Amino acid sequence: MGCGSSAPAQTTSPPAAAGTASRPGAGAGAGAGAGAGGGTNLATTGNAKGSKNIDYALRLAKFEEESKIKLLFLGAGESGKSTIFKQMRLLYGTERSDEDLRMYGVVARSNIVVAVRKLCSHLRNLGLEEELDRESRENEDLEDGDHSSMTCRQAYDELMAYLVDNTATASAQDPTGGGSEDRR
């Protein structure tokens, strides 16, 4: 049985009510209304058949609910309860569809953008932009340092323009076009 699936863990069938068969409606109303003076009319027979179907459906739902395995994860906030549950679903649950995977990608990208926005805003609010300038100067002075095409300050300025201030121009946002000609 997969975690989160609605299939019962046991392969036994649900208990049938006394005097009824194990499928809905079987045996209900058999022989009822056969005699002219039997006292049973068709409306009563229909109601009894519907009632038996409802009873059977309720018994089946109860059986399925009782056969599910339930876990209660207890712990403080951020202690990994959801992570354990998700891992159980990955290992024992149903396969993830392409739509689910696309949704997870969208959520992950959104979380990254939100985190970078917060970091950039906090750098500005704490007045640590000068530290980025200092780091950039130190990296340029090192002979064996990482000489990437962009300094820390340039990366910060681009992130602020794209994500925080929304001041990036359309040509700078175009991945095929310009926007990178002023990088060192």
Side-chain angles (χ1 to χ4, degrees):
M1 178 183 118
C3 186
S5 91
S6 61
Q10 303 166 355
T11 57
T12 59
S13 61
T20 62
S22 63
R23 66 181 206 284
T40 306
N41 62 25
L42 291 177
T44 306
T45 304
N47 288 342
K49 192 176 204 180
S51 176
K52 287 184 181 185
N53 286 340
I54 292 171
D55 290 343
Y56 176 77
L58 288 172
R59 281 193 312 277
L60 184 64
K62 181 180 177 185
F63 175 78
E64 286 178 358
E65 187 65 29
E66 288 175 350
S67 64
K68 287 182 184 176
I69 296 173
K70 297 178 184 178
L71 295 173
L72 176 64
F73 292 121
L74 298 175
E78 302 293 321
S79 65
K81 299 178 295 290
S82 295
T83 304
I84 291 174
F85 178 72
K86 288 175 186 174
Q87 190 67 30
M88 295 284 285
R89 280 186 47 194
L90 283 174
L91 293 174
Y92 304 109
T94 57
E95 282 287 319
R96 299 289 153 254
S97 68
D98 288 341
E99 183 63 30
D100 287 341
L101 295 177
R102 273 192 229 84
M103 181 199 59
Y104 293 144
V106 168
V107 170
R109 283 187 290 277
S110 174
N111 288 344
I112 290 169
V113 168
V114 167
V116 170
R117 274 187 184 143
K118 286 181 181 180
L119 287 172
C120 289
S121 295
H122 289 313
L123 271 173
R124 177 188 282 169
N125 293 339
L126 295 173
L128 297 175
E129 293 170 324
E130 293 79 28
E131 286 291 315
L132 293 174
D133 292 331
R134 185 185 59 75
E135 275 186 38
S136 296
R137 282 192 303 272
E138 286 176 3
N139 284 340
E140 288 175 0
D141 293 341
L142 293 175
E143 291 180 24
D144 295 330
D146 179 23
H147 297 290
S148 62
S149 62
M150 186 181 288
T151 65
C152 295
R153 180 56 188 239
Q154 288 171 331
Y156 169 77
D157 288 339
E158 266 196 49
L159 287 171
M160 289 297 288
Y162 280 102
L163 301 177
V164 179
D165 298 335
N166 293 326
T167 57
T169 62
S171 63
Q173 291 179 1
D174 182 17
T176 60
S180 60
E181 57 270 357
D182 61 347
R183 293 184 190 163
R184 286 184 228 171

